[in-house]
Amino acid sequence: MATITVIQPSIMTETVKRHVAAYCRVSSSSEDQLDSYQAQLIYYSHKFEDSKTEELVDLYADEGITGTREDKRDEFQRLMKDCRRGKIDRIYTKSISRFARNTKDCLKNLRELKALGITVIFEKENIDTANMTDEIMITILGSLAQEESTSISKNVRWSNDKRMREGTFLLSTPPYGYRYMGRELVPHETDAEIVKCIFEMYLSGKGTYKIAEELNSRKVKTGQGAAKWQNSSVEYILKNPIYTGDLVLKKSYHTESLPHTKRINYGEFPKYCVENHHSPLVTKRMFERVQNLLQERNTRLAPLQRSVYTKSLFCEKCGTLYRRKSRGDAEVWVCRLHDRNSRACPSKGIDSRILDAVFIRVHNKLLIHYRFILLPIQQMLQELKCKKYGGNVRIMDIHKEIAKLREQNHVIARLRTKGFMDEGKYQEQTKELNSKVRKLQAELKKLTRSDDEDDVLEQLDMLVDYFEKREHMMVSFEPETFDSMVDKITANQNELTFHLLGGIELKEKI
C-alpha cells in the first residue's frame, strides 16, 4: 500500500489585515460630554492593538458640534474622503445616533460606503452593514435617532420660550459693552465707552468701514476675540436695540425639521421685549437717529448689494481682495490696501463695466478656440493617468472582467428576447451579473483614485461640456456663467488673469 507523507508548507502566507477606522462624536461642549469624547478615543485607540485581523488606520472625532448637520462635521467629511481614496475597509462607530441623526444623510452615506465595498459596524445596535437585511433596521433606527434629536430640540425650544415669557431668559453670551454679574447685565467700563463712541462717530458722518479702521488703528479689542474689527461687527452694534436698555428676544429661530437652520424671525413666531431690562448705553432718541441714517444709506446703496466679484477679485501686486465703491454713477472696484493707504499699493480702481466686458471677450474667445485649448489639455491628462496605472496588471484584469460580464448581460438579454429564457431566470442572472460589476467597479475606484487628477479632469469635462452645448456668443454679462466658470481673477494695471476651473489661466488686456 502506498505511503502518503504530508509535507508542511515552508512559507506561511501572511494574513492581510483589514484597514479599519473609528468614528466618534459628542453633541455638546459640556464637561461630561467631553469625558465621553475622551472615553471613546481611548476605547478605540486600544481596541485594535492586539488584533490579528484588523489594523486601525485613523481615528476621526468631532467634538462639541451638532450631529444633525453633516456639513458641520469636519472629521466626518475627512473620513468619507479617505474612504473614497481607498484607505479604509471598515468603519467602527458607537451607535447610529453618533454616526448621524438625520435618516436621509445616514442612508446616503451608508449606500455610498457600500458601493465602495466598505462596511460599518454599529456597536450599540450590533449591526453590520455587510448583511444586506440590515438596511431596513438601519432605516428604522435612523428614524428613531432623528425623532430623538427632534424631540430634544422641541423640549429645549419650549423651555427657552417659557423663560422668555417670564423674563428669566439669559443670553448665552453678553453683548459687547456688557458683562454678567450674577444674572444681571451691567456695563463694562472700557467696552461701554467704545459702544458710545461708535454711535457718535456714525452720527458724525463716518461709515462703518471708516469706524472699523479707526478702531483697528487704536488697537481696540473686539468682543469675540477676533483679530480686528470688521464693518459688519460695527453695523451689528449700531442695529442692536439692547444698547437702549431693552432686551428683545426671539429675533431669530431654528427650524424644527432636520437639518436645523437658523433664520431671522420676521413674524413667524412671537418676539419678547423686556423694557428697561438693564442700564442703557445710548438714548432711544440717538438709536432712532442711527436707524434712520442706516436705512437712508442702505436705500442709496441698494443697487450695489450683490456682485460676482465680491470674493473673486484680487490685487496681483499685494494679494488683497478688491472692494466695491460708488463714484458718482459708476461702480468701481479698488484694492483694499490701496484704499486704506495709496502708498502701500500702487493698484488703481477698475470700473465694473470694464470687468464685465473683459470677461465677455475671454468667454467668446474660448467658445471659438476651446477645441484647440481645452481638448489637448484634457487628452494629455487622460493619457498621463493611463500611463500611471497602465502597468498595474490587476487594473487591466478588472477592465477585462467588467467587459466580459457586460457581454454576458447582452447575451442573456438576447436569449430572453428570443424566448429561450424566462423572465424570472433573466432577472436572477442579471442581478447577479450587475452585483459582480459593482464590486469590480468599487475595487477599480480604489486602485485608480487620484484625487487631484480626477478633480482637474472632472472640471475640464464640465468646461468642455459647457462650450460644446453653447450655441451663441455672449452679448451681455451673464453672472451665472461667470460663477460656474471662474474661480478667481487677479488684476494689475494693464490686464486681468482669469483662473478658470481645471487650473486654466487666461490673461486678457484691459
Side-chain angles (χ1 to χ4, degrees):
M1 188 178 192
T3 303
I4 299 174
T5 304
V6 177
I7 303 172
Q8 298 294 338
S10 57
I11 301 175
M12 300 297 292
T13 57
E14 184 179 353
T15 303
V16 178
K17 287 188 176 183
R18 182 186 284 119
H19 295 149
V20 302
Y23 176 73
C24 53
R25 179 183 62 79
V26 293
S27 55
S28 74
S29 299
S30 62
E31 189 174 340
D32 58 332
Q33 289 287 355
L34 292 181
D35 289 340
S36 170
Y37 171 79
Q38 294 297 334
Q40 289 182 64
L41 287 179
I42 293 168
Y43 168 73
Y44 285 119
S45 297
H46 293 94
K47 182 178 176 67
F48 305 100
E49 280 183 348
D50 301 321
S51 176
K52 295 180 180 179
T53 58
E54 294 181 321
E55 177 185 3
L56 184 64
V57 175
D58 203 350
L59 278 165
Y60 303 81
D62 285 313
E63 176 184 346
I65 51 177
T66 177
T68 61
R69 286 281 302 275
E70 183 181 312
D71 59 343
K72 295 286 186 181
R73 296 190 283 161
D74 294 337
E75 282 291 277
F76 185 82
Q77 295 299 328
R78 185 170 72 89
L79 167 67
M80 293 299 294
K81 189 172 183 180
D82 285 348
C83 288
R84 296 181 190 112
R85 288 174 171 172
K87 294 181 178 180
I88 297 165
D89 300 312
R90 172 171 285 186
I91 299 169
Y92 281 83
T93 188
K94 186 177 177 182
S95 67
I96 290 178
S97 63
R98 299 294 93 190
F99 188 77
R101 288 193 177 176
N102 182 320
T103 307
K104 179 183 175 183
D105 288 341
C106 181
L107 286 177
K108 181 196 73 173
N109 292 318
L110 288 177
R111 283 167 180 156
E112 181 181 354
L113 292 170
K114 195 168 190 177
L116 293 170
I118 299 166
T119 58
V120 183
I121 304 292
F122 299 103
E123 296 186 295
K124 180 180 176 182
E125 295 84 4
N126 194 25
I127 291 176
D128 185 349
T129 60
N131 303 321
M132 295 290 291
T133 55
D134 281 341
E135 183 157 322
I136 296 174
M137 184 62 73
I138 290 166
T139 304
I140 295 169
L141 290 170
S143 298
L144 290 173
Q146 177 170 324
E147 184 59 34
E148 177 189 358
S149 177
T150 303
S151 177
I152 291 170
S153 297
K154 285 181 179 178
N155 290 339
V156 171
R157 190 179 295 111
W158 178 86
S159 175
N160 287 340
D161 284 349
K162 183 174 182 292
R163 283 181 284 153
M164 287 177 186
R165 287 194 301 271
E166 295 172 350
T168 59
F169 184 84
L170 291 179
L171 300 174
S172 57
T173 305
Y176 183 79
Y178 289 96
R179 296 289 186 275
Y180 267 120
M181 288 187 65
R183 299 178 62 86
E184 186 179 354
L185 272 179
V186 296
H188 181 271
E189 185 178 352
T190 306
D191 294 350
E193 289 302 318
I194 297 299
V195 171
K196 295 174 184 177
C197 185
I198 288 172
F199 276 86
E200 290 168 359
M201 283 193 287
Y202 192 76
L203 287 174
S204 71
K206 291 183 179 179
T208 54
Y209 278 101
K210 290 297 182 183
I211 294 172
E213 287 176 3
E214 184 164 333
L215 293 174
N216 289 326
S217 66
R218 289 161 54 181
K219 302 190 183 303
V220 175
K221 293 183 178 180
T222 65
Q224 301 298 325
K228 60 181 183 178
W229 286 82
Q230 304 291 342
N231 70 302
S232 56
S233 51
V234 172
E235 187 172 349
Y236 179 79
I237 287 176
L238 292 171
K239 289 182 175 181
N240 199 337
I242 202 167
Y243 297 110
T244 66
D246 295 343
L247 181 61
V248 180
L249 301 171
K250 199 81 173 183
K251 291 186 290 185
S252 62
Y253 67 95
H254 286 87
T255 57
E256 294 186 10
S257 59
L258 295 176
H260 298 308
T261 55
K262 188 175 182 180
R263 293 180 181 173
I264 297 173
N265 183 6
Y266 289 110
E268 296 89 341
F269 297 94
K271 296 179 183 179
Y272 306 92
C273 181
V274 185
E275 295 183 359
N276 303 318
H277 177 268
H278 52 275
S279 299
L281 300 185
V282 297
T283 65
K284 291 186 178 180
R285 173 61 182 156
M286 177 182 280
F287 184 78
E288 289 173 4
R289 288 173 60 200
V290 166
Q291 304 318 299
N292 292 334
L293 187 55
L294 280 166
Q295 186 175 1
E296 180 186 330
R297 289 183 176 178
N298 287 337
T299 302
R300 183 155 36 90
L301 298 174
L304 301 178
Q305 288 303 307
R306 184 189 177 278
S307 174
V308 292
Y309 303 121
T310 302
K311 297 292 183 182
S312 61
L313 185 59
F314 292 82
C315 176
E316 191 176 279
K317 298 287 185 182
C318 65
T320 307
L321 265 172
Y322 274 65
R323 59 171 289 198
R324 178 171 44 183
K325 299 191 76 173
S326 179
R327 292 180 181 171
D329 295 333
E331 179 183 304
V332 179
W333 292 84
V334 295
C335 167
R336 290 173 185 262
L337 181 60
H338 174 85
D339 194 39
R340 289 195 296 267
N341 182 1
S342 59
R343 290 174 294 182
C345 180
S347 298
K348 293 183 179 179
I350 307 171
D351 194 303
S352 62
R353 291 168 293 191
I354 294 176
L355 292 173
D356 294 350
V358 175
F359 173 71
I360 292 171
R361 287 207 308 269
V362 168
H363 173 276
N364 291 339
K365 285 182 179 179
L366 263 180
L367 181 60
I368 296 169
H369 303 293
Y370 79 92
R371 293 180 182 84
F372 310 105
I373 299 173
L374 300 181
L375 293 181
I377 298 173
Q378 185 185 38
Q379 184 178 355
M380 180 184 67
L381 284 173
Q382 288 172 338
E383 289 174 355
L384 284 172
K385 187 175 179 181
C386 289
K387 287 180 181 179
K388 183 176 180 179
Y389 297 110
N392 192 319
V393 177
R394 178 57 186 154
I395 290 174
M396 301 305 295
D397 288 343
I398 290 174
H399 280 298
K400 290 176 183 177
E401 288 179 50
I402 291 174
K404 192 183 295 181
L405 290 169
R406 283 178 173 159
E407 179 58 32
Q408 290 178 32
N409 245 331
H410 294 315
V411 171
I412 64 172
R414 288 196 295 270
L415 290 173
R416 185 195 60 166
T417 303
K418 293 181 179 180
F420 296 118
M421 180 179 289
D422 61 66
E423 184 66 24
K425 190 67 175 176
Y426 169 76
Q427 293 291 344
E428 179 186 342
Q429 291 198 15
T430 301
K431 185 177 179 181
E432 183 181 350
L433 289 170
N434 288 338
S435 176
K436 290 179 179 179
V437 169
R438 284 194 297 271
K439 288 180 180 178
L440 288 169
Q441 287 174 333
E443 184 181 353
L444 186 65
K445 197 172 184 180
K446 285 185 179 181
L447 291 171
T448 60
R449 179 165 287 280
S450 175
D451 286 337
D452 292 339
E453 292 169 4
D454 286 350
D455 289 345
V456 171
L457 275 170
E458 185 178 346
Q459 291 173 357
L460 280 172
D461 287 342
M462 289 169 60
L463 276 179
V464 171
D465 184 59
Y466 164 79
F467 283 111
E468 285 180 343
K469 293 177 180 177
R470 181 90 186 195
E471 296 179 352
H472 53 81
M473 295 282 191
M474 186 182 292
V475 178
S476 58
F477 184 72
E478 300 173 10
E480 296 82 5
T481 304
F482 179 93
D483 269 337
S484 64
M485 288 179 55
V486 180
D487 182 31
K488 68 175 183 178
I489 305 173
T490 51
N492 62 33
Q493 298 298 105
N494 304 311
E495 67 180 7
L496 302 176
T497 302
F498 290 83
H499 302 256
L500 308 181
L501 294 178
I504 306 295
E505 292 184 12
L506 297 175
K507 295 181 182 292
E508 186 72 15
K509 296 290 184 183
I510 295 177

